[in-house]
Amino acid sequence: MVRYGILGFGHHAEKRLMPGFNVARNSQPTAFWRQNVSKVRDIELRFGIRGHATVESLCSADDVDAIFVTSPDALHLEHAEIAFRCGKPVLCEKPMAMNASECERMIAAAQSSRQALGVAHVMRFEESVNTAREWVASGMLGEVLHARAEFIYPGYGSPRNWITDAKLACGGPTGDVGVHCFDTLRYVLRQEVQSVGAIMRDGENARVEASAEITLEFTAGLLADVFVSTRAPYRTSLQVVGSKRTLESRNCFYVEGPIEIVLWEEQREVRRVQCDNSRAYGIQFDAFSEALESGAPFLCSGEDGLKNQRIIDAAYESARHGQRARL
């Protein structure tokens, strides 16, 4: 059993990580650190795990085998480096850092310490996303011509009150959930992005963007677009258009109930599959645990995190300068 220390125990840990650990088979949380010390005792009583006063104390604890970094984005690099110095492998929440340069430093620190580094792109462990990946690879869509991903949620008033602070967050929804779309498209299409174009609209306080439309050009010439926003009710979707058929899944990334993937040929539905993503977080933890125990690569490496971060950086560059940015 691999024992995890959660570094930055906040709303995400309560809502997603702890339920994920409950269904994991070879992974369990044993300790945590939270900056707001007034809530430490409550977490200890609710979840039966031990709070630590400092990041260093958590990372050096004898009952912690691996560190899950889920602190605000601006602290990811610092916290990962502390974990590596303490001889602990790191599973880092997305986005990996604030920019590609920080990601490169994190990868170098992992290599120098000879510790594993993974990035928590949980969509790679969802049944819906893997079904879409298999359908695309099978050729049943024909030649893939276009793809689209959306991730929309009501972000204002979020319990993650740091998420609109540009000093702590890697931008608005582009960095927060757009990165899920970028990684999913790379994973499902098995192609890499070579250029990015973006148009963004500011939020009410203009500290970070509220919405963005982002176009991706892949190395094989395939085109895709991504829409993200924090100004509407929750919605996620994935569409892949092929020369023969089209794959569609509304709420493809949803983890709280069943979702469906549908294959269309012209106006005729030719296949419909119901998927359950509810165990995705637990599957992700166990996959990282298995990688640590076997020495095998984790499905989403630090290099994957760096590639996704470069897309984020290019999107913000494109929006600033009003022209496409090449990776």
Side-chain angles (χ1 to χ4, degrees):
M1 182 72 70
V2 176
R3 302 166 298 176
Y4 285 79
I6 301 175
L7 210 172
F9 195 108
H11 176 72
H12 181 62
E14 293 187 24
K15 185 176 181 179
R16 299 294 187 213
L17 304 189
M18 296 309 288
F21 278 117
N22 285 340
V23 300
R25 299 190 176 106
N26 190 35
S27 312
Q28 69 175 36
T30 54
F32 72 96
W33 171 85
R34 178 175 180 134
Q35 190 169 24
N36 186 342
V37 295
S38 67
K39 297 188 177 182
V40 168
R41 185 56 181 161
D42 177 63
I43 295 169
E44 289 179 325
L45 292 174
R46 287 174 59 196
F47 298 108
I49 57 177
R50 183 164 56 95
H52 284 259
T54 66
V55 174
E56 290 80 2
S57 173
L58 174 69
C59 292
S60 60
D62 292 336
D63 63 345
V64 171
D65 303 313
I67 299 295
F68 190 104
V69 174
T70 184
S71 44
D73 306 338
L75 300 177
H76 284 185
L77 174 60
E78 174 189 344
H79 288 170
E81 289 180 329
I82 293 171
F84 292 140
R85 286 199 296 269
C86 292
K88 300 294 170 65
V90 169
L91 180 58
C92 184
E93 189 56 77
K94 59 76 207 165
M96 188 172 167
M98 294 291 278
N99 53 58
S101 177
E102 289 191 354
C103 294
E104 290 168 349
R105 287 176 54 189
M106 192 185 297
I107 291 170
Q111 293 172 340
S112 177
S113 65
R114 297 185 178 181
Q115 295 297 325
L117 169 62
V119 183
H121 277 288
V122 70
M123 277 63 180
R124 292 192 179 212
F125 302 91
E126 292 183 338
E127 183 182 359
S128 59
V129 169
N130 281 287
T131 299
R133 176 178 161 92
E134 292 167 7
W135 286 10
V136 170
S138 73
M140 66 172 64
L141 277 68
E143 179 188 359
V144 177
L145 305 173
H146 182 267
R148 178 175 175 84
E150 295 179 329
F151 203 129
I152 303 162
Y153 69 98
Y156 289 98
S158 168
R160 296 183 300 159
N161 52 25
W162 58 269
I163 203 67
T164 57
D165 186 341
K167 293 181 179 179
L168 293 175
C170 175
T174 302
D176 184 30
V177 292
V179 68
H180 274 316
C181 298
F182 306 149
D183 185 71
T184 297
L185 290 171
R186 289 181 52 240
Y187 180 65
V188 168
L189 302 174
R190 305 180 196 232
Q191 294 191 33
E192 298 298 344
V193 174
Q194 66 177 8
S195 75
V196 178
I199 299 173
M200 299 182 181
R201 293 292 177 261
D202 289 336
E204 293 174 358
N205 53 29
R207 289 182 293 178
V208 296
E209 82 280 5
S211 303
E213 178 73 26
I214 302 151
T215 60
L216 309 176
E217 179 189 5
F218 286 82
T219 49
L222 187 153
L223 301 175
D225 61 272
V226 170
F227 179 70
V228 293
S229 180
T230 56
R231 303 299 293 274
Y234 177 89
R235 170 187 168 89
T236 68
S237 65
L238 177 67
Q239 180 186 75
V240 183
V241 178
S243 58
K244 296 180 180 178
R245 300 179 183 91
T246 295
L247 177 160
E248 292 182 339
S249 179
R250 183 176 182 183
N251 284 336
C252 185
F253 308 143
Y254 188 58
V255 295
E256 296 183 7
I259 61 101
E260 294 181 328
I261 299 182
V262 183
L263 192 65
W264 295 90
E265 184 175 332
E266 294 184 348
Q267 303 302 312
R268 181 171 60 93
E269 179 184 315
V270 295
R271 190 170 183 182
R272 179 181 293 264
V273 173
Q274 187 174 91
C275 298
D276 181 4
N277 295 332
S278 62
R279 293 191 63 250
Y281 282 91
I283 294 170
Q284 175 181 248
F285 294 137
D286 282 343
F288 192 67
S289 297
E290 181 180 352
L292 295 181
E293 292 178 337
S294 68
F298 181 61
L299 184 58
C300 192
S301 66
E303 292 293 339
D304 282 305
L306 172 59
K307 289 177 180 179
N308 294 328
Q309 189 76 48
R310 285 174 174 156
I311 300 172
I312 297 172
D313 292 356
Y316 286 120
E317 179 186 348
S318 173
R320 283 194 302 270
H321 299 294
Q323 61 186 21
R324 296 192 68 79
R326 295 192 66 85
L327 274 67

